[in-house]
Amino acid sequence: MDGIYIPIIAVLSIAAMFITFSILNSRNQTEVQRTLRTALEKGTPLTAELVAQMNTNRPSRRTDLRRGIIIISIGVAAALAGVITGSMTEFATVAAFPICMGLGFLLVWKLDQNDSAA
């Protein structure tokens, strides 16, 4: 019964990581919008340079590549932990989610790379 807590904690940790990232990203977007709204209320004109500065927060093309590699490495680490502890079934179940998610990020990176070349 004690062995079941390890995969549960691993899944909850991964979920907490993504929820935290989403909350921080949302908070950052809210701050940018609040700053823009305050500037417009004070009568500051909306120039092309200001809009360009607002768009500098966009992720680069390599962001999906980095995220994919990092998330896949988390899945591989979980699978290796299963091999080390002898609980491969439980850890393989946990490792499948980040590996598939990382492969999705790599696919998006590859598709984006092909779109920019055309």
Side-chain angles (χ1 to χ4, degrees):
M1 185 68 174
D2 292 333
I4 192 73
Y5 292 120
I6 294 172
I8 291 172
I9 290 172
V11 169
L12 290 176
S13 298
I14 292 169
M17 183 175 58
F18 287 112
I19 290 170
T20 303
F21 174 76
S22 297
I23 289 171
L24 292 176
N25 192 24
S26 174
R27 189 176 293 169
N28 186 25
Q29 292 292 332
T30 303
E31 276 300 314
V32 168
Q33 291 174 3
R34 185 178 297 141
T35 303
L36 182 61
R37 188 178 304 123
T38 304
L40 290 175
E41 287 174 355
K42 289 184 178 183
T44 305
L46 186 62
T47 63
E49 296 161 352
L50 180 62
V51 173
Q53 284 180 343
M54 301 299 271
N55 286 335
T56 57
N57 201 12
R58 293 196 182 270
S60 68
R61 291 182 182 166
R62 299 179 89 187
T63 301
D64 288 328
L65 175 64
R66 284 186 222 137
R67 285 181 184 164
I69 291 171
I70 290 169
I71 294 172
I72 287 175
S73 66
I74 291 170
V76 170
L80 287 174
V83 170
I84 292 169
T85 61
S87 304
M88 190 56 196
T89 305
E90 291 86 3
F91 281 97
T93 304
V94 172
F97 178 73
I99 289 174
C100 290
M101 196 165 170
L103 289 174
F105 274 113
L106 292 179
L107 178 65
V108 169
W109 170 74
K110 188 64 175 172
L111 292 174
D112 187 39
Q113 191 177 26
N114 289 342
D115 285 345
S116 64

